[in-house]
Amino acid sequence: MELSPVAVNTKRIDTVKKRNRNGLTPLEHEREKWGYLFLSPWLLGFLLFTLLPILATLVFSMTDYSPVNAEATTFVGFSNFATMLTDDKMWISLWVTIRYAVLAIPVSFIFGLVLALLVNSKHLVGKDVFRTLFYMPSMIPVVAGALVWAGVMNTQTGWINVTLKTVGITGPDWLGEVEWIYPALVLIGLWGLGNLMLTLLAGMQGVPNELYEAAVIDGASGWRQFRHITLPMISPVVFYNMTLMLIGAFKYFDLAYVLKNGTGGPSDATLFYNLNLYKNAFTYNLMGYASALAWVLFLIILILTILLFVTSGRWVYYAAEVRK
Amino acid sequence: MNKRLNLVITALMLFGILLTACSSTTELPQETIVPDATEAAVEPANESEITPTPTTVSVGGNCTGTPVRWYIGLGAGGNPEEIEKETAFLEKFNDKYGDQYCLTMDVVQNATAYDVLKTQIASGDVPDIVGPVGVRGLWSFEGAWLDLTELMEKNNYDSSDFNPALLDFYKLGPMGQVGIPFAVYPSALWYNKDLFDEAGLAYPPHKFGDLYEGKTWDFAALRDIAIILTVDNTGKTPADDGFDPTNIVQFGYDAMWTDVRGKWTFFGAGSFNDNGKAVMPDVWREAAHWYYDGMWTDYFIPNDNYVNSDYLTQGNTFNSGHVAMAPIHTWYTCCAGNVPNWDVAAIPSYDGTITAKLHADTFGILKGTKNPDASFAVLSLMLGEFAPDLIAVYGAFPARGSLQTAALDTMKANFPNVDLDVFVQGLNYPDNPNHESGMPNFLKASDTYTAFGSNYQTAGDLDLDAEIDALIAQLQDVFDETK
């Protein structure tokens, strides 16, 4: 039975009447309530254990708060931020972090990409075995891995130098010389590239086969297929990994701390920004100053991430996106 | 309204995701504390004896008196065997005094104890009594300790059983009297008799001030025999042509488990701090050169790479059996189990002066305690009536004069082949100022010279005098930050 225009209008008015002040029907309202109920553990956790401490650090950053002498805390305004400008260690740590990032990000990415290409190759026998083997190190806790690598890179008993010695080469002091410490850290970092390899592999497997078939028919070489099909098609995954690697480089801490006992040696070469922050907070008890350092780090990472997003329009290709 | 709420939640989630990405994905490792005083006593004798130590153990007594909480972990006390003894001690204490004071204890593994205590203080959950703790531990919590002077006067505390100098040892600058002596750990020169026998060398003298083979027993004499005791994998010593410093299999000497202040103080007591002015005592500069040459030119001292190698058991070098001599404290009886024939000898002199560095432990009360009177009463009992029990728990050498003879007899029964009287002699040559003594901006200053020490033991091509001058300049900057 067809409704008359008047009846339709009346029904619409009834429905509108039933909507609450947020414009939701009772059913939608009910669903919304359940939605928030399911979200509430995360929301509560975030508010209590993340947002509140973050806000606390903002307050601390304007005080000289020390956890062992809290009653002596005074408000110091922006002087912690001003101190940073003249703090040599802060600038050294920032420079150390940038140097490491400039070396580690491209090397790690290229290595991860090569690994992903390798385990994606149709010519490789036992792909699953290799994928598992390459991924396995990333399951090992960083601290445990660092202790193992400290042994491996020991100049006297580490197997790298022992192996080099058997062919007449005196190996470098991997962890004791400024010239070698960054390559050593990057080398250790390569060990745990399983996640990068896996996401790039997933991206590669999502590239439609028809594109390669068409390219082969057109006579495209393997390199041209990679350059003009694979890379553009996995560019969102590359972008995602670049963002994480950039953040990871600026929050670098664990390996440097464990390998060098938190000393920042040799000659401050491993005094990463986060290590300097940690030392100020937990070694010197300068929690106020450390909070200021943390906020500056957050701002640096935020700006770099925004820059990455801004440039992404030029090199990241989303298949479903309509370009204007 | 609904849109706004959704917007806020979306913003929160995005913010959360960004922060999660920025946060560490692994648990932060705890800071490694340079073993000093009783800290090293928690080291197991060898790797196979390692037993997982609980991070935190809380034990409460069945008692009705005023609650007093005892925090253990800044020094000794975290080993499973010690926890058993501490628990027995606690029960004994509460059995007798439980109606007046209810003593409970928190035992925290040394690696995390500093951070846990900081957290407890910051959150207002302040323990009452802390210890055993050494001088470094006390300085690490500068400003958090209660000055006991007033409570000692108020309670007419009898301190006549202590050497007055030892009582003054715990008057830490502006903090006042922050501890009452509990235990002392004199040092001596530990030596591996088998390595001496193998080299055909006479053992070093056991009496402080005695000669060695007709010559003064000083650091020059020690260097001479340490070079003979150092051999590479072909059996050559550093004095032989063709000695290979990259393949050393046995070293003559190592001042292990201590920082540069601890290494240099054997040449004469000193301090980086002269009333707020950063200085390098001349005798320390000479010691610094002696030690540096020992590592990088004479090769009888292992450098950092050797120390951290598996061959030298990653730090416990004397226990590896490949180091002939090491000056260490009495607490090292815990950790030399792999060396079957060791003994102790006199610390050599330098420029006519003998200095046997001293470690000492105490118990302190935190400022934040809710029951200072009850805490002091319990502390007095722990270090008085119950002192023998507590000494037995930690295998320490008592600070109370009246308990020292009995304690020495017990140690002799445990180590019948060791000349323990050497340690007693060592008590006569303490380093004053102590190598762990305070400095302005103590934590940062410690970190500064520790970084220097790391470089010192890692790089063999330093212009040492220039590096030392740079260290002093850095220390001055650090000192000045507190002005």
Side-chain angles (χ1 to χ4, degrees):
Chain A
M1 184 185 75
E2 247 182 72
L3 292 173
S4 69
V6 176
V8 169
N9 278 342
T10 312
K11 189 173 171 56
R12 195 171 293 152
I13 289 163
D14 288 346
T15 312
V16 170
K17 270 184 184 171
K18 282 179 188 170
R19 287 179 187 273
N20 65 15
R21 58 187 178 154
N22 292 329
L24 298 175
T25 63
L27 182 61
E28 285 170 340
H29 183 65
E30 190 67 15
R31 281 177 177 169
E32 188 189 50
K33 269 199 312 193
W34 281 104
Y36 286 129
L37 190 70
F38 283 117
L39 266 178
S40 59
W42 184 89
L43 279 175
L44 272 176
F46 176 75
L47 289 171
L48 288 175
F49 301 116
T50 306
L51 189 62
L52 211 61
I54 287 169
L55 293 176
T57 62
L58 187 60
V59 176
F60 290 161
S61 71
M62 295 179 192
T63 68
D64 58 359
Y65 172 63
S66 159
V68 297
N69 209 0
E71 67 272 20
T73 304
T74 55
F75 181 76
V76 296
F78 287 96
S79 76
N80 282 330
F81 294 92
T83 303
M84 287 171 66
L85 297 175
T86 56
D87 179 2
D88 290 344
K89 293 286 183 190
M90 198 287 289
W91 291 109
I92 289 170
S93 67
L94 191 58
W95 178 233
V96 163
T97 308
I98 290 170
R99 279 173 72 182
Y100 171 76
V102 166
L103 181 67
I105 292 176
V107 172
S108 303
F109 175 74
I110 290 168
F111 193 78
L113 186 64
V114 169
L115 274 188
L117 282 169
L118 184 71
V119 296
N120 193 41
S121 168
K122 59 186 174 188
H123 304 298
L124 183 71
V125 180
K127 278 180 202 163
D128 292 342
V129 175
F130 282 106
R131 286 172 189 172
T132 310
L133 283 176
F134 289 144
Y135 184 75
M136 267 168 71
S138 56
M139 301 295 288
I140 294 171
V142 177
V143 175
L147 293 173
V148 170
W149 277 99
V152 168
M153 291 184 163
N154 184 278
T155 56
Q156 305 305 325
T157 53
W159 64 257
I160 294 182
N161 280 15
V162 168
T163 308
L164 289 172
K165 194 179 276 182
T166 59
V167 291
I169 298 169
T170 304
D173 186 352
W174 296 94
L175 305 174
E177 289 175 22
V178 177
E179 298 77 22
W180 283 101
I181 189 76
Y182 296 113
L185 292 175
V186 172
L187 187 64
I188 297 170
L190 295 182
W191 195 54
L193 283 179
N195 277 324
L196 173 68
M197 179 201 75
L198 217 59
T199 48
L200 288 172
L201 179 65
M204 286 173 189
Q205 291 183 337
V207 181
N209 255 344
E210 306 89 87
L211 298 177
Y212 292 112
E213 286 163 5
V216 169
I217 290 165
D218 287 346
S221 64
W223 165 249
R224 294 196 67 158
Q225 287 177 43
F226 172 73
R227 170 75 185 81
H228 296 290
I229 299 173
T230 311
L231 263 188
M233 292 302 287
I234 65 167
S235 59
V237 183
V238 172
F239 173 64
Y240 162 78
N241 278 305
M242 280 291 172
T243 310
L244 287 190
M245 286 166 82
L246 185 73
I247 293 170
F250 273 85
K251 72 181 183 67
Y252 196 79
F253 173 82
D254 322 46
L255 268 176
Y257 181 84
V258 178
L259 288 173
K260 300 306 293 180
N261 258 345
T263 58
S267 302
D268 283 341
T270 59
L271 186 69
F272 286 86
Y273 192 95
N274 249 353
L275 180 59
N276 187 41
L277 189 159
Y278 172 84
K279 284 170 85 162
N280 274 285
F282 299 104
T283 304
Y284 312 150
N285 294 334
L286 302 174
M287 202 61 84
Y289 184 58
S291 299
L293 285 170
W295 274 95
V296 169
L297 177 64
F298 178 74
L299 290 176
I300 291 171
I301 291 176
L302 189 66
I303 290 166
L304 290 174
T305 310
I306 289 170
L307 283 176
L308 209 56
F309 269 85
V310 168
T311 61
S312 69
R314 296 168 186 265
W315 59 277
V316 181
Y317 169 70
Y318 293 102
E321 195 178 60
V322 179
R323 300 260 175 183
K324 289 178 182 173
Chain B
M1 175 68 186
N2 193 40
K3 277 185 179 174
R4 196 174 300 162
L5 188 62
N6 282 332
L7 199 65
V8 169
I9 290 170
T10 309
L12 278 176
M13 289 182 78
L14 284 173
F15 192 51
I17 289 164
L18 185 59
L19 283 166
T20 309
C22 287
S23 67
S24 181
T25 52
T26 51
E27 211 170 289
L28 294 185
Q30 298 304 319
E31 185 179 11
T32 306
I33 309 293
V34 177
D36 60 8
T38 54
E39 283 159 16
V42 301
E43 291 281 332
N46 60 50
E47 291 300 311
S48 63
E49 290 176 22
I50 291 175
T51 310
T53 307
T55 304
T56 304
V57 173
S58 295
V59 178
N62 293 319
C63 40
T64 54
T66 309
V68 173
R69 187 152 64 93
W70 171 24
Y71 185 91
I72 304 166
L74 297 189
N79 258 351
E81 314 85 66
E82 288 172 314
I83 295 171
E84 274 178 37
K85 292 176 186 171
E86 284 156 348
T87 307
F89 171 85
L90 196 82
E91 285 167 358
K92 186 176 176 185
F93 184 94
N94 283 334
D95 279 347
K96 187 162 184 189
Y97 289 102
D99 56 338
Q100 296 175 58
Y101 314 108
C102 187
L103 186 60
T104 58
M105 69 177 188
D106 281 357
V107 187
V108 183
Q109 203 175 11
N110 182 258
T112 54
Y114 282 72
D115 289 342
V116 170
L117 184 57
K118 279 178 198 173
T119 310
Q120 291 191 359
I121 293 171
S123 63
D125 180 26
V126 186
D128 302 292
I129 296 172
V130 178
V133 55
V135 178
R136 174 187 286 275
L138 291 169
W139 278 105
S140 297
F141 288 87
E142 187 178 0
W145 304 101
L146 191 68
D147 184 351
L148 302 177
T149 312
E150 203 178 303
L151 284 164
M152 288 170 80
E153 285 171 4
K154 184 176 158 188
N155 293 283
N156 291 319
Y157 186 79
D158 181 9
S159 59
S160 60
D161 202 15
F162 300 113
N163 182 329
L166 206 52
L167 201 62
D168 287 346
F169 194 74
Y170 295 109
K171 279 184 184 163
L172 302 186
M175 291 192 279
Q177 185 80 43
V178 294
I180 294 170
F182 164 62
V184 287
Y185 304 89
S187 58
L189 185 72
W190 295 56
Y191 66 94
N192 186 328
K193 290 161 85 172
D194 291 341
L195 301 187
F196 271 76
D197 292 343
E198 193 179 47
L201 287 169
Y203 299 145
H206 285 206
K207 194 172 172 196
F208 280 70
D210 267 8
L211 302 178
Y212 176 73
E213 298 286 87
K215 293 179 189 167
T216 303
W217 178 232
D218 58 10
F219 274 95
L222 183 142
R223 175 184 172 276
D224 290 344
I225 62 168
I227 286 175
I228 296 169
L229 286 160
T230 301
V231 286
D232 67 10
N233 60 347
T234 60
K236 289 178 176 163
T237 75
D240 297 327
D241 288 336
F243 173 78
D244 181 3
T246 63
N247 275 308
I248 301 172
V249 295
Q250 182 177 303
F251 289 89
Y253 178 83
D254 182 30
M256 52 180 277
W257 281 353
T258 189
D259 55 29
V260 288
R261 293 201 298 176
K263 291 183 199 305
W264 300 339
T265 198
F266 288 110
F267 278 62
S271 171
F272 286 127
N273 173 37
D274 181 11
N275 289 317
K277 186 180 175 210
V279 292
M280 181 73 174
D282 290 341
V283 71
W284 277 15
R285 192 177 287 266
E286 288 158 22
H289 277 281
W290 183 90
Y291 206 92
Y292 193 74
D293 290 346
M295 284 187 289
W296 302 105
T297 312
D298 299 330
Y299 304 114
F300 64 87
I301 301 173
N303 61 40
D304 209 40
N305 272 311
Y306 276 111
V307 168
N308 292 324
S309 68
D310 296 335
Y311 190 67
L312 293 189
T313 61
Q314 297 180 358
N316 190 356
T317 56
F318 185 78
N319 193 39
S320 71
H322 305 304
V323 169
M325 295 177 281
I328 328 177
H329 300 261
T330 42
W331 47 249
Y332 191 61
T333 47
C334 67
C335 313
N338 287 348
V339 182
N341 293 311
W342 60 270
D343 205 341
V344 287
I347 299 284
S349 64
Y350 180 75
D351 208 13
T353 304
I354 301 171
T355 310
K357 75 182 171 91
L358 183 71
H359 277 165
D361 268 351
T362 187
F363 288 74
I365 297 175
L366 288 169
K367 256 184 197 170
T369 176
K370 292 177 180 69
N371 300 304
D373 288 314
S375 300
F376 186 76
V378 171
L379 184 67
S380 303
L381 288 166
M382 286 170 72
L383 302 182
E385 183 183 336
F386 287 86
D389 301 278
L390 214 50
I391 288 289
V393 169
Y394 298 112
F397 193 68
R400 282 187 176 277
S402 60
L403 300 176
Q404 287 179 350
T405 308
L408 190 64
D409 289 344
T410 307
M411 281 179 77
K412 281 178 176 172
N414 290 335
F415 299 99
N417 299 321
V418 177
D419 186 1
L420 293 163
D421 287 323
V422 177
F423 285 117
V424 183
Q425 293 175 58
L427 279 172
N428 297 318
Y429 305 94
D431 49 337
N432 187 16
N434 187 263
H435 62 286
E436 293 186 338
S437 58
M439 290 176 280
N441 206 354
F442 181 76
L443 295 168
K444 209 166 186 178
S446 295
D447 194 55
T448 303
Y449 76 70
T450 301
F452 166 86
S454 170
N455 210 24
Y456 176 73
Q457 290 183 204
T458 308
D461 55 353
L462 299 179
D463 177 348
L464 191 56
D465 280 315
E467 293 288 332
I468 290 170
D469 293 342
L471 167 68
I472 297 306
Q474 286 172 29
L475 281 173
Q476 189 62 62
D477 290 343
V478 171
F479 290 179
D480 290 344
E481 282 180 19
T482 54
K483 287 179 182 170

